[in-house]
Amino acid sequence: MRSVIWDDGAVKMIDQRALPWKLDYARLNTVEAVAESIANMTVRGAPAIGAAAAFGMALAARQSPATTVAGLLDDLRQCGDLLNAARPTAVNLAWAVNQLLQIAASGEFNNVDDLRAGLLLAAQQIADDDVAINRRMGAQGAGLIRPGAKVLHHCNTGALATVDYGTALGVVRAAHEAGVDFHVLLDETRPRLQGSRLSAWELERLGVSYDIIPDTAAGYFMQQNEVDVVLVGADRVASNGDFANKIGTYQLAIMAAAHGIPFYSVAPTSTIDLSLASGADIPIEERDSSEVTTPYGNPITPAHFKARNPAFDVTPNHYLSGIVTENGIARAPFSESLRRAVAGEQV
Ligand code: MRU
């Protein structure tokens, strides 16, 4: 099961808004529709939106009327801006768009048809690499889950949030595949409920033992000694290890520290943004307040009640026990270990 694929001239993706009730697919024929699918969270999760954007760029190249490589590059830059504007926090989106723009600007292709074919191959490669990298992260992190462990997880970081396999839930999956017996507490993750709708759907399919918990119950379970390790994903990691992830991650980190519970983020090196000195520089998306007052079209309050809806928060690096990457588990001092992991060194 891949969350996003290239399908005969279009981008096809699982419609994550319909889960867990229906496994529906969206088939998008324009780059505008791909950008909208990222903004409205038909596809979500940092690596998955990176892959969707890469295929969106390949689609844009195919549909551009340009007859010269320079003209096509101009069109692609505009489409890249459109895709980048869809969601600002996850760096994988801009990372994927940049990868394709660099290929278009490389001078490697001297006619538009070859460039179009080259961009599609590059997008496919980004999607394939994501799956391989997630499996490597799973292998690197599986040992963090001991037999009998109780794992706390936030949001959805599984196959749906990536092209396949997952990041933090990829670690969960690797431990499960290794035959380790353990239990996962899934934060429901308000307001979009990625935990109760998507992570629970994935763990049901995998046969991993889990319970959904209200976000507000995490501290209770820590106090009751029902959490041995916290595993979360990341949308952008700054060079000092501060990282943005789904709203609520920061308070989990503080509670884990208060209870002496190890707290790990699991993120591929494509999520690490060495250009940022600290988490203070990470742009935080604020989404429409109707997601809080009227989740999935179900009104909780009268329409005119006011609400705020930041989609991510930033956790300072000192709360982290480590960051699991495909090149090993980066530990403090993160400015050194993350630089080495991004350079492809084993950390
Ligand atoms: O708003 P979302 O659902 O796209 O947020 C997703 C997360 O915060 C994940 O933890 C993150 O993308 C890493 S998952 C591979």
Side-chain angles (χ1 to χ4, degrees):
M1 181 194 76
R2 286 199 169 197
S3 65
V4 52
I5 58 169
W6 180 258
D7 181 42
D8 195 20
V11 184
K12 188 174 168 190
M13 55 182 63
I14 294 177
D15 185 343
Q16 300 195 30
R17 300 165 307 172
L19 286 170
W21 307 112
K22 264 198 308 186
L23 181 54
D24 259 0
Y25 292 84
R27 199 167 181 283
L28 309 166
N29 298 302
T30 64
V31 65
E32 288 80 9
V34 174
E36 177 57 22
S37 74
I38 294 170
N40 69 21
M41 296 173 67
T42 304
V43 62
R44 33 81 33 217
I49 62 179
F55 285 128
M57 290 292 278
L59 183 61
R62 196 179 159 102
Q63 294 186 330
S64 161
T67 53
T68 63
V69 168
L72 185 50
L73 180 57
D74 278 349
D75 283 357
L76 286 171
R77 287 200 172 110
Q78 278 184 30
C79 294
D81 289 346
L82 178 77
L83 289 163
N84 280 334
R87 291 194 82 188
T89 302
V91 75
N92 305 61
L93 174 51
W95 175 86
V97 165
N98 267 341
Q99 298 273 314
L100 270 74
L101 283 177
Q102 273 174 26
I103 291 170
S106 66
E108 197 185 325
F109 298 96
N110 46 25
N111 72 68
V112 283
D113 287 338
D114 287 355
L115 177 52
R116 288 185 177 112
L119 291 170
L120 179 54
L121 272 180
Q124 296 275 23
Q125 192 65 53
I126 285 174
D128 292 346
D129 285 352
D130 180 63
V131 184
I133 285 169
N134 292 337
R135 287 184 179 276
R136 275 168 59 194
M137 282 194 298
Q140 301 281 2
L144 298 174
I145 302 179
R146 301 273 155 76
K150 290 155 287 186
V151 180
L152 180 68
H153 175 268
H154 194 58
C155 194
N156 171 264
T157 65
L160 292 164
T162 58
V163 176
D164 199 358
Y165 205 77
T167 59
L169 281 187
V171 167
V172 162
R173 184 166 172 176
H176 178 68
E177 286 168 0
V180 180
D181 199 20
F182 58 94
H183 186 74
V184 186
L185 294 177
L186 295 174
D187 278 353
E188 60 182 351
T189 318
R190 286 189 179 244
R192 295 288 297 227
L193 303 170
Q194 291 93 330
S196 44
R197 294 188 310 106
L198 307 178
S199 295
W201 183 77
E202 290 196 34
L203 294 195
E204 277 283 334
R205 286 167 62 108
L206 293 172
V208 174
S209 165
Y210 73 89
D211 286 305
I212 299 164
I213 62 167
D215 299 330
T216 41
Y220 167 81
F221 284 108
M222 289 184 186
Q223 200 176 43
Q224 298 297 311
N225 288 324
E226 291 203 45
V227 180
D228 298 313
V229 61
V230 179
L231 296 179
V232 298
D235 287 83
R236 193 185 298 229
V237 183
S239 60
N240 69 346
D242 296 351
F243 73 103
N245 191 50
K246 178 49 54 196
I247 192 75
T249 302
Y250 174 46
Q251 60 198 29
L252 278 184
I254 294 172
M255 287 193 290
H259 292 87
I261 297 168
F263 178 90
Y264 288 90
S265 173
V266 184
T269 51
S270 57
T271 303
I272 300 169
D273 186 350
L274 292 181
S275 75
L276 301 187
S278 79
D281 301 327
I282 300 176
I284 298 295
E285 174 185 16
E286 183 146 353
R287 295 184 62 83
D288 199 282
S289 62
S290 64
E291 291 184 346
V292 177
T293 56
T294 312
Y296 294 94
N298 300 309
I300 291 175
T301 72
H304 67 279
F305 277 22
K306 307 278 186 289
R308 294 283 304 273
N309 188 17
F312 301 96
D313 56 28
V314 172
T315 299
N317 59 45
H318 58 264
Y319 288 111
L320 274 167
S321 309
I323 301 177
V324 181
T325 74
E326 70 272 28
N327 295 327
I329 304 182
R331 297 192 189 264
F334 289 103
S335 45
E336 177 58 21
S337 58
L338 291 177
R339 190 188 52 73
R340 289 180 43 228
V342 170
E345 289 175 40
Q346 186 69 22
V347 293

